[in-house]
Amino acid sequence: MELTNSYKRIVFVFIGGIMLFVLCGCQSTNYPVDFEQLSEEERIVIRFSHVVGEETPKGLAARKFAQLVKERSGGYVEVQVFPNGFLYKDGEEMEALSNGDVQMIAPATSKVTSLIPEWSVIDLPFAFNSIEEVHDYLAGPVGQELVSKFDSQGLLMLGMWDNGFKQLSNRDYLIRYPEDLQQLKMRIMPSDIIDKQFSIAGAVPMKIDFNVVFQHLENGDIDGQENTLSNITSKNLHLLQNYLTVSNHGYLGYTLLMNKQFWDELPEDVQVLITDTLVEVNEWEWETARKLNDEKLMELEDCHCIDIYHLTSEERQVWEEAFQPVYNYYIKRFGAKYVKSLPKFQENSTYE
Ligand code: LMR
């Protein structure tokens, strides 16, 4: 598979950073040959918890990572994947990672904002025009500043996994303009910036765990929601919604995080195994995410089970103008630095 420049850059930046940790001195081991005889205590077990289904970009990549690490270490290193919030739910997994109850998680960047609020720059509506722009932003100096903020939290960011762009859905009517959101109870992820975005449009944003969105839609506690197509379909949310607006108004991706103390205590060859495997898995995940969201759009078009509308570029312009106060709000809280570096504010931007 041909590597894009953006991919090469981001891999270089992440892996370069991680290798610094690898080289700073940790015990070394050779994988025991007869691993089948080892108990769980004798193997290296990495518990990886996440909140989505297995057939999503994150779910599939977590499984692939586990499988490759097992194969390549002859079973000595075992990544145990716990999907669907089975072990820890939204709002619990970050603490579980910090406490060392799990060793790896991959929360959406929006959920990281409770710990590092500056990350909410990624949530700014219409901040990015393509996934490549997100990757470039994070590989650049300001993005790397965001990445390094995990250090002081005792966490190590091992990479960035994509899901895709969020779309809007609603039960009763089509959302075409910001004013269509008036009074709508919309499920959002826990991010102050997303909250602001919906409040400004007159909606009632409701922070609800991903795993219970279906029930809340079913009970009529909420009217609509925003998410990527693979997340929407993985939980059958579209079956409870009649209108889908392909708005691509915000990016949803994941910070792949490991407990730093656990990482530091890993033998050097295991660290190398993990970083090498992730080079491959991260690229695979990006491609899978893109494919899955395209496929899900086709499936939704074919099922005729939801009315699908694509925002025109004129309509998109109206949304962008309406959301300008959200940018002002972010700048007031965190300064202009993170916003000014967004690709849409660069001179050679292709942003419409
Ligand atoms: C959500 O809560 O909608 C997403 O963060 C779920 C996920 O992890 O993709």
Side-chain angles (χ1 to χ4, degrees):
M1 190 179 299
E2 197 182 316
L3 298 182
T4 61
N5 284 341
S6 141
Y7 177 74
K8 283 180 193 154
R9 198 157 47 246
I10 202 163
V11 166
F12 176 77
V13 171
F14 278 116
I15 300 306
I18 292 161
M19 286 314 287
L20 275 181
F21 287 114
V22 173
L23 295 174
C24 74
C26 16
Q27 65 177 117
S28 166
T29 187
N30 289 317
Y31 308 130
V33 182
D34 197 10
F35 64 86
E36 295 288 0
Q37 306 306 316
L38 295 181
S39 68
E40 187 161 306
E41 285 69 44
E42 291 166 313
R43 276 178 284 134
I44 292 182
V45 175
I46 300 173
R47 283 151 52 102
F48 185 164
S49 173
H50 68 80
V51 300
V52 290
E54 295 193 271
E55 300 305 316
T56 57
K58 178 163 61 179
L60 291 166
R63 224 164 53 192
K64 187 173 180 76
F65 174 58
Q67 174 205 331
L68 290 178
V69 165
K70 185 174 180 183
E71 276 166 25
R72 290 171 185 179
S73 68
Y76 176 54
V77 183
E78 185 187 0
V79 180
Q80 297 177 348
V81 182
F82 299 91
N84 283 312
F86 175 70
L87 216 49
Y88 294 102
K89 310 217 173 325
D90 277 337
E92 296 173 348
E93 58 176 16
M94 199 69 89
E95 200 183 336
L97 182 70
S98 296
N99 293 343
D101 296 330
V102 290
Q103 290 71 43
M104 259 181 112
I105 60 172
T109 57
S110 315
K111 293 174 186 170
V112 157
T113 62
S114 58
L115 205 60
I116 308 170
E118 289 87 343
W119 266 89
S120 58
V121 67
I122 307 291
D123 287 330
L124 284 168
F126 300 101
F128 302 98
N129 212 19
S130 68
I131 284 189
E132 288 68 34
E133 285 188 353
V134 182
H135 295 172
D136 283 348
Y137 179 78
L138 286 171
V142 160
Q144 285 301 295
E145 232 182 82
L146 288 175
V147 170
S148 68
K149 285 184 185 291
F150 285 110
D151 296 352
S152 57
Q153 304 292 335
L155 304 175
L156 175 65
M157 182 167 162
L158 289 166
M160 182 78 196
W161 284 359
D162 292 328
N163 189 314
F165 281 91
K166 291 179 288 181
Q167 322 299 353
L168 295 161
S169 74
N170 181 26
R171 184 186 52 225
D172 297 327
Y173 57 85
L174 173 70
I175 300 168
R176 206 165 150 196
Y177 292 103
E179 56 264 33
D180 297 329
L181 284 171
Q182 291 272 346
Q183 308 298 329
L184 281 188
K185 290 193 212 123
M186 297 291 288
R187 181 270 166 170
I188 61 164
M189 291 184 281
S191 155
D192 199 26
I193 287 295
I194 301 180
D195 189 300
K196 198 78 187 163
Q197 161 191 327
F198 281 95
S199 305
I200 277 172
V204 184
M206 298 177 72
K207 293 173 185 156
I208 291 174
D209 279 5
F210 180 64
N211 294 94
V212 290
V213 177
F214 185 92
Q215 285 94 308
H216 282 274
L217 282 172
E218 200 172 35
N219 296 343
D221 306 333
I222 45 175
D223 304 301
Q225 58 86 49
E226 55 155 20
N227 221 314
T228 61
L229 295 181
S230 65
N231 272 353
I232 291 173
T233 52
S234 72
K235 293 287 175 197
N236 282 328
L237 306 184
H238 59 291
L239 300 181
L240 298 171
Q241 299 277 270
N242 293 312
Y243 299 91
L244 177 75
T245 306
V246 179
S247 50
N248 292 317
H249 62 277
Y251 168 82
L252 196 162
Y254 309 108
T255 51
L256 190 58
L257 300 176
M258 188 173 266
N259 179 299
K260 174 83 168 55
Q261 189 185 342
F262 176 81
W263 171 265
D264 287 342
E265 288 167 2
L266 285 175
E268 186 180 329
D269 52 355
V270 174
Q271 293 184 342
V272 171
L273 168 75
I274 290 172
T275 49
D276 283 357
T277 304
L278 281 176
V279 170
E280 189 180 326
V281 174
N282 294 355
E283 187 192 357
W284 182 90
E285 197 278 343
W286 290 7
E287 186 58 24
T288 302
R290 193 188 56 71
K291 270 208 273 196
L292 214 58
N293 276 306
D294 289 351
E295 271 170 35
K296 294 302 165 192
L297 181 58
M298 281 194 287
E299 271 175 41
L300 288 175
E301 279 165 353
D302 288 348
C303 80
H304 302 291
C305 50
I306 189 163
D307 219 46
I308 304 175
Y309 182 77
H310 294 256
L311 281 191
T312 64
S313 51
E314 290 76 27
E315 286 160 353
R316 186 181 160 106
Q317 195 73 39
V318 174
W319 284 88
E320 281 193 53
E321 279 161 25
F323 283 145
Q324 188 51 47
V326 191
Y327 282 72
N328 301 341
Y329 175 77
Y330 182 97
I331 291 170
K332 215 161 146 198
R333 291 188 66 199
F334 306 113
K337 177 174 67 176
Y338 297 107
V339 170
K340 267 197 341 216
S341 300
L342 287 170
K344 68 193 275 186
F345 298 119
Q346 305 309 299
E347 256 178 46
N348 57 354
S349 166
T350 55
Y351 206 81
E352 292 165 20

